[in-house]
Amino acid sequence: NDTMDALNIYFRDYMREEEMKTFQQNILKNFSLSNIMNNLTILNPNRILVYVEEILDRIQEKCQCSFSGRTIIGLYLHISCLIERLVIGKEPAQYPDLETFTQRQAEFIQVVQDSFAPVCKAYNITLPVSEIGYLYDYIEQGSVANKADSVAEIQNDDFFDVHS
């Protein structure tokens, strides 16, 4: 994140805001690719990375929020490994108090299911709500860290309020 801030300062006179955003996304994507290549065993990391990028873009767009670089890198790795676990048929993680999560975060669950639809169709997999719970927790932790670090601002943090 510190490096991204330095890049913003250095390149602000040379790139428009949209170009800088694309540049940052490409850096995060390439950094994530090297981590993903070390963790995936059967799936094509390049193909998975494209799916994950689309998933994260959809979630951020539908939630009207922006994840920090640290959160994005973590999500790239987590979602890539999640997809592989689902493809090979590993037992999904059990999420504590799944019923309460399902009731309180129905909108978020729908956003994630819609965002994952293309990859679920491509690999003939189903995304369990328990796994969505862990994605929610990861995103919520990132948004709390963002507020504390003033690195990135969640535009609609009420959407991620666990206690609502």
Side-chain angles (χ1 to χ4, degrees):
N1 285 324
D2 293 339
T3 304
M4 287 297 193
D5 291 341
L7 285 173
N8 281 339
I9 292 167
Y10 182 79
F11 286 112
R12 69 179 168 216
D13 294 334
Y14 304 102
M15 292 184 187
R16 293 187 312 270
E17 186 176 335
E18 190 60 37
E19 291 172 322
M20 192 66 203
K21 183 177 178 182
T22 301
F23 180 67
Q24 288 178 345
Q25 287 175 332
N26 287 334
I27 287 173
L28 292 173
K29 185 174 164 182
N30 288 324
F31 181 76
S32 299
L33 179 60
S34 66
N35 286 330
I36 292 168
M37 289 177 79
N38 293 327
N39 287 286
L40 294 183
T41 56
I42 64 169
L43 297 178
N44 178 336
N46 289 310
R47 186 168 184 199
I48 290 298
L49 202 57
V50 170
Y51 279 122
V52 174
E53 181 179 28
E54 291 170 357
I55 289 167
L56 293 176
D57 286 347
R58 278 191 216 96
I59 291 172
Q60 290 177 96
E61 179 183 318
K62 290 180 181 191
C63 294
Q64 298 178 342
C65 66
S66 178
F67 303 146
S68 73
R70 182 176 293 144
T71 299
I72 289 173
I73 290 171
L75 286 170
Y76 268 117
L77 186 58
H78 179 80
I79 293 171
S80 297
C81 293
L82 166 61
I83 293 167
E84 183 163 273
R85 285 195 318 271
L86 294 173
V87 167
I88 61 177
K90 281 198 174 180
E91 188 72 23
Q94 298 299 312
Y95 189 80
D97 203 5
L98 185 62
E99 187 175 321
T100 301
F101 171 75
T102 303
Q103 292 170 354
R104 290 183 177 171
Q105 300 303 331
E107 185 179 353
F108 179 78
I109 292 168
Q110 189 61 56
V111 164
V112 173
Q113 287 173 332
D114 293 347
S115 299
F116 268 79
V119 75
C120 288
K121 183 177 179 182
Y123 289 104
N124 196 27
I125 57 175
T126 302
L127 181 64
V129 174
S130 60
E131 295 288 359
I132 296 173
Y134 285 108
L135 287 173
Y136 175 87
D137 289 348
Y138 195 92
I139 291 168
E140 177 63 18
Q141 283 181 321
S143 71
V144 170
N146 289 345
K147 290 175 198 167
D149 298 338
S150 297
V151 175
E153 183 176 317
I154 299 297
Q155 296 172 354
N156 186 5
D157 55 334
D158 289 341
F159 187 82
F160 291 108
D161 186 10
V162 179
H163 307 293
S164 59

